[in-house]
């Protein structure tokens, strides 16, 4: 019986280790991507190589999508008004706008470094 408990604890620990590794991998990848974007933005446009141009273009497109996020969420919620009350929709929309603004400020601040 004791051996069985150990096996279950070991499996659970392995699961959490795997999730931790997955999270760490994504954090490291995010750091690399941000550094690559930062480098691409400081290189003069006519001197950018393929990777610099790629990451800057993709980052610009991400910004455009982020701006549209509120519109998309609002449109989707308007199609299904019975799912959420109007007050909740307004609250979520306001919160999304706040988060988008914070993200923009952080990205601007990060890009200036």
């Amino acid at each position: 019986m004791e051996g069985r408990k150990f096996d279950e604890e070991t499996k659970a620990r392995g699961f959490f280790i795997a999730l931790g590794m997955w999270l760490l991998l994504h954090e490291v990848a995010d750091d690399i991507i941000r550094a690559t974007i930062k480098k691409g933005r400081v290189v003069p446009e006519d001197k950018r190589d393929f990777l610099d141009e790629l990451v800057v273009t993709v980052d610009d497109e991400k910004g455009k999508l982020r701006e549209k996020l509120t519109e998309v969420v609002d449109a989707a919620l308007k199609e299904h008004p019975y799912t959420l009350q109007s007050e909740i929709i307004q609250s979520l929309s306001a919160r999304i706008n706040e988060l988008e603004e914070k993200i923009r400020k952080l990205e601007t601040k990060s890009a200036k470094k």
Side-chain angles (χ1 to χ4, degrees), residues 11-44:
K11 288 177 187 176
R13 178 159 163 66
F15 174 73
F16 290 118
I17 289 171
L19 286 177
M21 290 176 71
W22 176 78
L23 182 61
L24 180 60
L25 173 68
H26 283 273
E27 286 178 3
V28 170
D30 287 345
D31 291 344
I32 292 169
I33 291 167
R34 284 188 192 99
T36 305
I37 291 168
K38 185 177 177 181
K39 176 197 169 276
R41 291 218 179 269
V42 298
V43 174

mmCIF file of all heavy atoms in Angstrom, residues 11-44:
data_model
loop_
_atom_site.group_PDB
_atom_site.id
_atom_site.type_symbol
_atom_site.label_atom_id
_atom_site.label_comp_id
_atom_site.label_asym_id
_atom_site.label_seq_id
_atom_site.Cartn_x
_atom_site.Cartn_y
_atom_site.Cartn_z
ATOM 1 N N LYS A 11 4.143 10.233 -9.744
ATOM 2 C CA LYS A 11 3.474 10.594 -10.989
ATOM 3 C C LYS A 11 2.979 12.037 -10.931
ATOM 4 O O LYS A 11 3.127 12.788 -11.897
ATOM 5 C CB LYS A 11 2.306 9.650 -11.261
ATOM 6 C CG LYS A 11 2.735 8.269 -11.678
ATOM 7 C CD LYS A 11 1.525 7.380 -11.861
ATOM 8 C CE LYS A 11 1.932 5.940 -12.104
ATOM 9 N NZ LYS A 11 0.760 5.056 -12.179
ATOM 10 N N ALA A 12 2.390 12.421 -9.804
ATOM 11 C CA ALA A 12 1.891 13.786 -9.662
ATOM 12 C C ALA A 12 3.045 14.776 -9.754
ATOM 13 O O ALA A 12 2.953 15.794 -10.436
ATOM 14 C CB ALA A 12 1.141 13.948 -8.339
ATOM 15 N N ARG A 13 4.155 14.467 -9.097
ATOM 16 C CA ARG A 13 5.327 15.347 -9.139
ATOM 17 C C ARG A 13 5.844 15.444 -10.568
ATOM 18 O O ARG A 13 6.177 16.535 -11.036
ATOM 19 C CB ARG A 13 6.411 14.848 -8.204
ATOM 20 C CG ARG A 13 7.655 15.697 -8.235
ATOM 21 C CD ARG A 13 8.516 15.529 -6.992
ATOM 22 N NE ARG A 13 9.856 16.020 -7.164
ATOM 23 C CZ ARG A 13 10.195 17.291 -7.361
ATOM 24 N NH1 ARG A 13 9.270 18.208 -7.453
ATOM 25 N NH2 ARG A 13 11.465 17.655 -7.493
ATOM 26 N N GLY A 14 5.883 14.348 -11.273
ATOM 27 C CA GLY A 14 6.337 14.356 -12.659
ATOM 28 C C GLY A 14 5.462 15.232 -13.531
ATOM 29 O O GLY A 14 5.946 15.952 -14.404
ATOM 30 N N PHE A 15 4.161 15.184 -13.275
ATOM 31 C CA PHE A 15 3.220 16.017 -14.014
ATOM 32 C C PHE A 15 3.511 17.500 -13.769
ATOM 33 O O PHE A 15 3.570 18.300 -14.703
ATOM 34 C CB PHE A 15 1.784 15.670 -13.592
ATOM 35 C CG PHE A 15 0.739 16.558 -14.183
ATOM 36 C CD1 PHE A 15 0.402 16.462 -15.530
ATOM 37 C CD2 PHE A 15 0.088 17.494 -13.395
ATOM 38 C CE1 PHE A 15 -0.575 17.287 -16.080
ATOM 39 C CE2 PHE A 15 -0.891 18.315 -13.936
ATOM 40 C CZ PHE A 15 -1.210 18.212 -15.283
ATOM 41 N N PHE A 16 3.735 17.862 -12.504
ATOM 42 C CA PHE A 16 4.018 19.260 -12.180
ATOM 43 C C PHE A 16 5.380 19.697 -12.713
ATOM 44 O O PHE A 16 5.545 20.843 -13.141
ATOM 45 C CB PHE A 16 3.902 19.507 -10.672
ATOM 46 C CG PHE A 16 2.480 19.436 -10.190
ATOM 47 C CD1 PHE A 16 2.093 18.486 -9.263
ATOM 48 C CD2 PHE A 16 1.524 20.312 -10.678
ATOM 49 C CE1 PHE A 16 0.781 18.411 -8.832
ATOM 50 C CE2 PHE A 16 0.210 20.248 -10.255
ATOM 51 C CZ PHE A 16 -0.168 19.295 -9.325
ATOM 52 N N ILE A 17 6.333 18.802 -12.723
ATOM 53 C CA ILE A 17 7.640 19.114 -13.312
ATOM 54 C C ILE A 17 7.474 19.376 -14.803
ATOM 55 O O ILE A 17 8.027 20.337 -15.346
ATOM 56 C CB ILE A 17 8.650 17.985 -13.046
ATOM 57 C CG1 ILE A 17 9.036 17.966 -11.569
ATOM 58 C CG2 ILE A 17 9.885 18.134 -13.940
ATOM 59 C CD1 ILE A 17 9.874 16.756 -11.159
ATOM 60 N N ALA A 18 6.698 18.533 -15.476
ATOM 61 C CA ALA A 18 6.469 18.716 -16.912
ATOM 62 C C ALA A 18 5.778 20.055 -17.182
ATOM 63 O O ALA A 18 6.168 20.784 -18.098
ATOM 64 C CB ALA A 18 5.646 17.561 -17.474
ATOM 65 N N LEU A 19 4.773 20.408 -16.390
ATOM 66 C CA LEU A 19 4.101 21.699 -16.562
ATOM 67 C C LEU A 19 5.055 22.855 -16.283
ATOM 68 O O LEU A 19 5.050 23.866 -16.996
ATOM 69 C CB LEU A 19 2.882 21.801 -15.643
ATOM 70 C CG LEU A 19 1.666 20.983 -16.048
ATOM 71 C CD1 LEU A 19 0.558 21.137 -15.001
ATOM 72 C CD2 LEU A 19 1.156 21.380 -17.411
ATOM 73 N N GLY A 20 5.878 22.709 -15.262
ATOM 74 C CA GLY A 20 6.864 23.742 -14.944
ATOM 75 C C GLY A 20 7.863 23.924 -16.075
ATOM 76 O O GLY A 20 8.220 25.062 -16.424
ATOM 77 N N MET A 21 8.308 22.821 -16.657
ATOM 78 C CA MET A 21 9.241 22.900 -17.783
ATOM 79 C C MET A 21 8.569 23.565 -18.988
ATOM 80 O O MET A 21 9.193 24.379 -19.680
ATOM 81 C CB MET A 21 9.743 21.507 -18.149
ATOM 82 C CG MET A 21 10.672 20.921 -17.103
ATOM 83 S SD MET A 21 11.173 19.240 -17.489
ATOM 84 C CE MET A 21 12.262 19.543 -18.874
ATOM 85 N N TRP A 22 7.316 23.234 -19.224
ATOM 86 C CA TRP A 22 6.570 23.828 -20.334
ATOM 87 C C TRP A 22 6.457 25.337 -20.137
ATOM 88 O O TRP A 22 6.693 26.117 -21.058
ATOM 89 C CB TRP A 22 5.198 23.166 -20.409
ATOM 90 C CG TRP A 22 4.287 23.735 -21.448
ATOM 91 C CD1 TRP A 22 4.319 23.510 -22.797
ATOM 92 C CD2 TRP A 22 3.198 24.636 -21.218
ATOM 93 N NE1 TRP A 22 3.308 24.215 -23.414
ATOM 94 C CE2 TRP A 22 2.604 24.911 -22.476
ATOM 95 C CE3 TRP A 22 2.662 25.215 -20.079
ATOM 96 C CZ2 TRP A 22 1.520 25.750 -22.608
ATOM 97 C CZ3 TRP A 22 1.570 26.052 -20.216
ATOM 98 C CH2 TRP A 22 1.011 26.308 -21.473
ATOM 99 N N LEU A 23 6.112 25.749 -18.926
ATOM 100 C CA LEU A 23 5.987 27.163 -18.622
ATOM 101 C C LEU A 23 7.330 27.872 -18.774
ATOM 102 O O LEU A 23 7.412 28.947 -19.378
ATOM 103 C CB LEU A 23 5.438 27.356 -17.207
ATOM 104 C CG LEU A 23 5.205 28.787 -16.745
ATOM 105 C CD1 LEU A 23 4.189 29.482 -17.644
ATOM 106 C CD2 LEU A 23 4.719 28.793 -15.305
ATOM 107 N N LEU A 24 8.385 27.272 -18.262
ATOM 108 C CA LEU A 24 9.719 27.855 -18.376
ATOM 109 C C LEU A 24 10.137 27.989 -19.839
ATOM 110 O O LEU A 24 10.679 29.021 -20.247
ATOM 111 C CB LEU A 24 10.740 27.010 -17.606
ATOM 112 C CG LEU A 24 12.184 27.509 -17.643
ATOM 113 C CD1 LEU A 24 12.289 28.910 -17.063
ATOM 114 C CD2 LEU A 24 13.083 26.542 -16.893
ATOM 115 N N LEU A 25 9.872 26.979 -20.629
ATOM 116 C CA LEU A 25 10.198 27.018 -22.052
ATOM 117 C C LEU A 25 9.519 28.203 -22.728
ATOM 118 O O LEU A 25 10.139 28.949 -23.493
ATOM 119 C CB LEU A 25 9.774 25.710 -22.732
ATOM 120 C CG LEU A 25 9.897 25.673 -24.245
ATOM 121 C CD1 LEU A 25 11.359 25.706 -24.653
ATOM 122 C CD2 LEU A 25 9.220 24.438 -24.803
ATOM 123 N N HIS A 26 8.244 28.411 -22.420
ATOM 124 C CA HIS A 26 7.506 29.521 -23.025
ATOM 125 C C HIS A 26 8.022 30.871 -22.545
ATOM 126 O O HIS A 26 8.099 31.830 -23.325
ATOM 127 C CB HIS A 26 6.006 29.378 -22.767
ATOM 128 C CG HIS A 26 5.377 28.351 -23.646
ATOM 129 N ND1 HIS A 26 4.903 28.654 -24.890
ATOM 130 C CD2 HIS A 26 5.183 27.020 -23.483
ATOM 131 C CE1 HIS A 26 4.430 27.558 -25.462
ATOM 132 N NE2 HIS A 26 4.593 26.556 -24.625
ATOM 133 N N GLU A 27 8.392 30.967 -21.270
ATOM 134 C CA GLU A 27 8.945 32.226 -20.757
ATOM 135 C C GLU A 27 10.273 32.553 -21.447
ATOM 136 O O GLU A 27 10.505 33.703 -21.837
ATOM 137 C CB GLU A 27 9.131 32.147 -19.246
ATOM 138 C CG GLU A 27 7.827 32.228 -18.485
ATOM 139 C CD GLU A 27 8.026 32.092 -16.978
ATOM 140 O OE1 GLU A 27 9.182 31.999 -16.516
ATOM 141 O OE2 GLU A 27 7.010 32.093 -16.267
ATOM 142 N N VAL A 28 11.125 31.544 -21.593
ATOM 143 C CA VAL A 28 12.416 31.758 -22.259
ATOM 144 C C VAL A 28 12.179 32.147 -23.721
ATOM 145 O O VAL A 28 12.814 33.073 -24.234
ATOM 146 C CB VAL A 28 13.314 30.508 -22.136
ATOM 147 C CG1 VAL A 28 14.543 30.620 -23.023
ATOM 148 C CG2 VAL A 28 13.723 30.289 -20.681
ATOM 149 N N ALA A 29 11.260 31.460 -24.370
ATOM 150 C CA ALA A 29 10.949 31.786 -25.767
ATOM 151 C C ALA A 29 10.421 33.215 -25.875
ATOM 152 O O ALA A 29 10.815 33.958 -26.782
ATOM 153 C CB ALA A 29 9.925 30.791 -26.325
ATOM 154 N N ASP A 30 9.550 33.626 -24.948
ATOM 155 C CA ASP A 30 9.043 35.005 -24.949
ATOM 156 C C ASP A 30 10.182 36.005 -24.789
ATOM 157 O O ASP A 30 10.224 37.032 -25.465
ATOM 158 C CB ASP A 30 8.013 35.214 -23.836
ATOM 159 C CG ASP A 30 6.679 34.558 -24.118
ATOM 160 O OD1 ASP A 30 6.433 34.169 -25.284
ATOM 161 O OD2 ASP A 30 5.885 34.421 -23.172
ATOM 162 N N ASP A 31 11.110 35.710 -23.883
ATOM 163 C CA ASP A 31 12.259 36.598 -23.685
ATOM 164 C C ASP A 31 13.091 36.716 -24.958
ATOM 165 O O ASP A 31 13.522 37.812 -25.332
ATOM 166 C CB ASP A 31 13.143 36.091 -22.540
ATOM 167 C CG ASP A 31 12.475 36.213 -21.176
ATOM 168 O OD1 ASP A 31 11.475 36.953 -21.050
ATOM 169 O OD2 ASP A 31 12.966 35.561 -20.230
ATOM 170 N N ILE A 32 13.313 35.603 -25.629
ATOM 171 C CA ILE A 32 14.091 35.604 -26.872
ATOM 172 C C ILE A 32 13.367 36.402 -27.945
ATOM 173 O O ILE A 32 13.972 37.218 -28.654
ATOM 174 C CB ILE A 32 14.375 34.163 -27.341
ATOM 175 C CG1 ILE A 32 15.345 33.480 -26.371
ATOM 176 C CG2 ILE A 32 14.927 34.142 -28.764
ATOM 177 C CD1 ILE A 32 15.488 31.990 -26.579
ATOM 178 N N ILE A 33 12.059 36.192 -28.055
ATOM 179 C CA ILE A 33 11.268 36.913 -29.055
ATOM 180 C C ILE A 33 11.304 38.412 -28.779
ATOM 181 O O ILE A 33 11.522 39.216 -29.692
ATOM 182 C CB ILE A 33 9.818 36.388 -29.093
ATOM 183 C CG1 ILE A 33 9.802 34.975 -29.674
ATOM 184 C CG2 ILE A 33 8.909 37.322 -29.889
ATOM 185 C CD1 ILE A 33 8.486 34.245 -29.487
ATOM 186 N N ARG A 34 11.113 38.809 -27.520
ATOM 187 C CA ARG A 34 11.134 40.238 -27.181
ATOM 188 C C ARG A 34 12.504 40.856 -27.486
ATOM 189 O O ARG A 34 12.583 41.971 -28.006
ATOM 190 C CB ARG A 34 10.780 40.435 -25.709
ATOM 191 C CG ARG A 34 9.312 40.282 -25.434
ATOM 192 C CD ARG A 34 8.967 40.668 -23.993
ATOM 193 N NE ARG A 34 7.626 40.248 -23.693
ATOM 194 C CZ ARG A 34 7.301 39.132 -23.037
ATOM 195 N NH1 ARG A 34 8.235 38.331 -22.599
ATOM 196 N NH2 ARG A 34 6.053 38.823 -22.819
ATOM 197 N N ALA A 35 13.564 40.132 -27.166
ATOM 198 C CA ALA A 35 14.908 40.641 -27.452
ATOM 199 C C ALA A 35 15.137 40.769 -28.954
ATOM 200 O O ALA A 35 15.747 41.738 -29.424
ATOM 201 C CB ALA A 35 15.958 39.717 -26.827
ATOM 202 N N THR A 36 14.638 39.810 -29.716
ATOM 203 C CA THR A 36 14.785 39.847 -31.173
ATOM 204 C C THR A 36 14.002 41.014 -31.761
ATOM 205 O O THR A 36 14.490 41.718 -32.652
ATOM 206 C CB THR A 36 14.320 38.511 -31.788
ATOM 207 O OG1 THR A 36 15.040 37.439 -31.168
ATOM 208 C CG2 THR A 36 14.566 38.475 -33.278
ATOM 209 N N ILE A 37 12.796 41.250 -31.254
ATOM 210 C CA ILE A 37 11.984 42.382 -31.714
ATOM 211 C C ILE A 37 12.687 43.691 -31.367
ATOM 212 O O ILE A 37 12.775 44.600 -32.203
ATOM 213 C CB ILE A 37 10.566 42.337 -31.110
ATOM 214 C CG1 ILE A 37 9.778 41.157 -31.682
ATOM 215 C CG2 ILE A 37 9.820 43.649 -31.343
ATOM 216 C CD1 ILE A 37 8.482 40.861 -30.958
ATOM 217 N N LYS A 38 13.194 43.781 -30.149
ATOM 218 C CA LYS A 38 13.894 44.991 -29.716
ATOM 219 C C LYS A 38 15.086 45.274 -30.626
ATOM 220 O O LYS A 38 15.287 46.400 -31.075
ATOM 221 C CB LYS A 38 14.342 44.825 -28.266
ATOM 222 C CG LYS A 38 14.966 46.043 -27.664
ATOM 223 C CD LYS A 38 15.313 45.791 -26.212
ATOM 224 C CE LYS A 38 16.013 46.980 -25.592
ATOM 225 N NZ LYS A 38 16.360 46.736 -24.192
ATOM 226 N N LYS A 39 15.850 44.244 -30.942
ATOM 227 C CA LYS A 39 16.998 44.392 -31.835
ATOM 228 C C LYS A 39 16.534 44.826 -33.224
ATOM 229 O O LYS A 39 17.112 45.734 -33.821
ATOM 230 C CB LYS A 39 17.769 43.081 -31.944
ATOM 231 C CG LYS A 39 18.919 43.129 -32.936
ATOM 232 C CD LYS A 39 19.365 41.714 -33.312
ATOM 233 C CE LYS A 39 20.309 41.709 -34.472
ATOM 234 N NZ LYS A 39 19.660 41.735 -35.778
ATOM 235 N N GLY A 40 15.486 44.191 -33.728
ATOM 236 C CA GLY A 40 14.980 44.522 -35.052
ATOM 237 C C GLY A 40 14.497 45.958 -35.151
ATOM 238 O O GLY A 40 14.648 46.596 -36.192
ATOM 239 N N ARG A 41 13.943 46.480 -34.076
ATOM 240 C CA ARG A 41 13.415 47.849 -34.091
ATOM 241 C C ARG A 41 14.536 48.895 -34.078
ATOM 242 O O ARG A 41 14.333 49.999 -34.582
ATOM 243 C CB ARG A 41 12.484 48.072 -32.915
ATOM 244 C CG ARG A 41 11.195 47.279 -33.050
ATOM 245 C CD ARG A 41 10.013 48.070 -32.558
ATOM 246 N NE ARG A 41 8.783 47.316 -32.714
ATOM 247 C CZ ARG A 41 8.007 47.368 -33.779
ATOM 248 N NH1 ARG A 41 8.334 48.114 -34.788
ATOM 249 N NH2 ARG A 41 6.895 46.658 -33.849
ATOM 250 N N VAL A 42 15.681 48.568 -33.487
ATOM 251 C CA VAL A 42 16.766 49.556 -33.443
ATOM 252 C C VAL A 42 17.604 49.564 -34.718
ATOM 253 O O VAL A 42 18.305 50.533 -34.989
ATOM 254 C CB VAL A 42 17.683 49.371 -32.206
ATOM 255 C CG1 VAL A 42 16.895 49.567 -30.924
ATOM 256 C CG2 VAL A 42 18.383 48.044 -32.210
ATOM 257 N N VAL A 43 17.534 48.498 -35.492
ATOM 258 C CA VAL A 43 18.270 48.445 -36.755
ATOM 259 C C VAL A 43 17.555 49.350 -37.766
ATOM 260 O O VAL A 43 16.342 49.248 -37.918
ATOM 261 C CB VAL A 43 18.328 46.990 -37.296
ATOM 262 C CG1 VAL A 43 18.954 46.942 -38.676
ATOM 263 C CG2 VAL A 43 19.084 46.091 -36.331
ATOM 264 N N PRO A 44 18.291 50.246 -38.426
ATOM 265 C CA PRO A 44 17.646 51.087 -39.441
ATOM 266 C C PRO A 44 16.938 50.220 -40.481
ATOM 267 O O PRO A 44 17.418 49.140 -40.839
ATOM 268 C CB PRO A 44 18.817 51.849 -40.074
ATOM 269 C CG PRO A 44 19.906 51.801 -39.049
ATOM 270 C CD PRO A 44 19.725 50.513 -38.299
#
